[in-house]
Each structure stands twice: as C-alpha cells, then as structure tokens.
C-alpha cells in the first residue's frame, strides 16, 4: 500500500518472524552466541526466555537457517498445559512414526532413532517453543529423554524457548534436578531506548530504504509507548506508515505518531 510512496520494496514492519529482518541488539547477539555454543558443545538443555514480542522465535529461525547439515532438528510448537503424549509430538517433529504405539514403544523407537543418528555422526536437536505452557511432569519427561547418551556424548539436545513464566517454572523446588541440567540460559529483555532508532532504521534498510523516515522525536515517542518491545514497535510503525501515506507525509513525525496512538486508544478494539 505505502511501499512505493516511501521507496520500499516490501513492508518493513511485519509482525511475522522473519529472520531476514533480525536485528542483533547486544542481548540478541549474546543469546544467539549462547545458543550456538550450546549446540556446538552438545549442551543437554538450553533455555531462552523473553517477553512476548521480543524476537525469540525470529532468533531461533535465524539459528535454523544457519545450522550445519549434520544436525537433525525437530520443533514442537503445540505446547499447552493439557498436552497429551508429549513423546508422540516429539516423534512427529522428527518425522518418525508414532501412531498406534504405546509409551514404552515410543520411547524405544525414539531411543533407536537417537542411536542411529549418532552412528551417522548427526546431532539431534529438539526445540520446544512456548515452553512456559508445559507442566512440571512434561519437563520431567524431557529430562528423562536427556538421559539417553553414548559414552560421554549427549544424544539429544533440547532448546526450550518461552516467556518469563518459563523461568519461574524452572525455579520450582520439584524441578531442581531439571534446572541443574540446564547448561545454557539467557533472558532477552526489550530494546533499550537508544536501540529503538537502530532497530527501526535497520528494518527500513532491509526493506529498501537507506535514508531515515522517522524523525528522532517520533522515535523517542515510539520507544516510550512500546517500552522497547519489537513486535509493538512493528505494529505502531506500520500503522504510522499507513497514516503517513494517506496524508502524503514525507516524514513520520511525532505528531503523526501521537495521532496513531490516540486513535488506537479511542477507536481500536483493545483501546482504553
């Protein structure tokens, strides 16, 4: 809609997790380095937490795009408190047959899959997204799976990705044994105010514009309103570009940002 008007080849502020637009803040860079370290060193458990919309999924997708062909990766997305047959979901994530098997048969089949992968010199990595939804029993089941090893080598590496509640869950006394297995952990906070400008201009550059579009005061207002949460920044900036296009504004200034904020509060479905 507004792409041509602002010299863009695509929308710069989509809320879909697109690794091509990943902005490496200091904390995102450190989280990514920790994930790489965990995979290279066969860490049993790695945990990445962060607020909703802080770029955890985008970071993981970037990781997946840069992994070695020697890694077999399975991703479990459908986590919730009442999830049944977690091992069945794990088998599905790795493309292994799971229907009609008892829990014992599933465990044996998964163990054979891990052993076969190890014999082929392939690392197996399981990623569990929205892991804060898992119960303590489900996490204990994952811990038992991590006990499968060959000599000194871990046959299964598990990466848990979740919201801050995951951190609280892992601190429960009954999960002490699980927490002790976590070799790599990192919390991704919202962007600092000075990073918001870099984030906005980074996404504009990837989308095809190499000159600033948002004024410094507008960016300061965006940082304050969104509290540095990337997804919220994307929503506000995208809407601002629609407003700017409709009024023929060459730049997105603070007045336009405040108009968007006011309209969202007054007329939006979730407004106050």
């Amino acid at each position: 809609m507004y792409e041509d008007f602002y010299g863009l080849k695509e929308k710069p502020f989509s809320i879909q997790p697109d690794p091509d637009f990943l902005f490496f803040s200091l904390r995102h860079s450190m989280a990514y380095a920790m994930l790489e370290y965990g995979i290279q060193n066969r860490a049993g458990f790695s945990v990445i937490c962060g607020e909703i919309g802080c770029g955890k999924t985008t970071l993981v997708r970037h990781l997946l795009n840069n992994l070695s062909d020697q890694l077999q990766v399975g991703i479990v997305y459908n986590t919730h408190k009442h999830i049944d047959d977690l091992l069945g979901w794990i088998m599905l994530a790795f493309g292994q047959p799971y229907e009609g098997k008892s829990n014992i048969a599933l465990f044996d089949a998964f163990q054979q899959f891990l052993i076969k992968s190890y014999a082929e010199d392939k690392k197996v990595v399981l990623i569990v997204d929205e892991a804060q939804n898992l119960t303590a029993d489900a996490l204990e089941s994952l811990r038992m799976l991590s006990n499968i090893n060959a000599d000194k080598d871990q046959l299964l590496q598990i990466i848990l990705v979740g919201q801050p509640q995951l951190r609280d869950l892992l601190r429960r006394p009954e999960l002490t044994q699980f927490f002790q297995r976590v070799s790599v952990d990192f919390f991704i906070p919202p962007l600092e105010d000075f990073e918001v400008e870099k984030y906005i201009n980074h996404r504009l550059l990837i989308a095809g514009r190499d000159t600033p579009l948002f004024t410094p005061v507008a960016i300061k207002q965006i940082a304050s309103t969104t509290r540095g949460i990337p997804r919220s920044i994307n929503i506000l900036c995208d809407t601002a570009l629609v407003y700017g296009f409709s009024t023929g504004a060459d730049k997105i200034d603070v007045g336009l940002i405040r108009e968007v904020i006011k309209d969202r509060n007054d007329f939006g479905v979730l407004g106050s």
Side-chain angles (χ1 to χ4, degrees), residues 143-157:
R143 186 183 72 83
M144 296 302 293
L145 289 178
S146 73
N147 287 334
I148 303 172
N149 54 60
D151 299 325
K152 297 181 180 181
D153 290 329
Q154 196 88 27
L155 297 193
L156 175 65
Q157 297 175 254

Side-chain angles (χ1 to χ4, degrees), residues 121-259:
D121 198 28
K122 292 182 178 179
K123 296 179 182 178
V124 179
V125 179
L126 171 66
I127 298 174
V128 182
D129 201 8
E130 301 297 342
Q132 77 279 352
N133 294 327
L134 295 176
T135 63
D137 287 342
L139 288 171
E140 180 61 16
S141 297
L142 290 177
R143 186 183 72 83
M144 296 302 293
L145 289 178
S146 73
N147 287 334
I148 303 172
N149 54 60
D151 299 325
K152 297 181 180 181
D153 290 329
Q154 196 88 27
L155 297 193
L156 175 65
Q157 297 175 254
I158 301 175
I159 298 174
L160 302 181
V161 183
Q163 297 170 25
Q165 300 94 306
L166 174 60
R167 184 170 54 179
D168 299 333
L169 175 62
L170 295 178
R171 288 172 175 168
R172 290 184 185 178
E174 65 268 30
L175 288 172
T176 298
Q177 289 190 67
F178 185 100
F179 190 74
Q180 290 173 346
R181 296 286 187 91
V182 176
S183 304
V184 171
D185 65 288
F186 201 86
F187 185 88
I188 303 175
L191 300 176
E192 299 284 351
D193 286 354
F194 74 91
E195 293 177 314
V196 173
E197 181 176 10
K198 294 180 179 180
Y199 174 83
I200 290 173
N201 289 334
H202 167 79
R203 295 191 71 103
L204 287 170
L205 180 62
I206 299 300
R209 183 182 175 107
D210 58 4
T211 57
L213 179 54
F214 293 75
T215 68
V217 182
I219 290 174
K220 186 176 181 180
Q221 180 68 64
I222 292 168
S224 174
T225 301
T226 63
R227 295 178 291 112
I229 296 175
R231 185 181 300 165
S232 298
I233 294 171
N234 288 357
I235 293 171
L236 181 53
C237 287
D238 185 61
T239 307
L241 289 178
V242 175
Y243 274 51
F245 170 72
S246 67
T247 59
D250 293 332
K251 291 273 189 175
I252 307 299
D253 62 19
V254 69
L256 198 148
I257 294 296
R258 287 172 178 165
E259 182 181 356

Side-chain angles (χ1 to χ4, degrees), residues 72 87 91 94 96-97 101 103-120 122 124 145 148-150 155-156:
Q72 296 191 86
L87 186 51
M91 292 286 282
F94 286 105
Q96 300 297 305
K101 294 180 180 288
N103 284 335
I104 294 177
L106 281 171
F107 183 86
D108 180 62
F110 188 63
Q111 182 172 248
Q112 295 306 314
F113 163 70
L114 292 178
I115 292 172
K116 181 176 183 291
S117 298
Y118 180 75
E120 296 172 350
K122 292 182 178 179
V124 179
L145 289 178
I148 303 172
N149 54 60
L155 297 193
L156 175 65

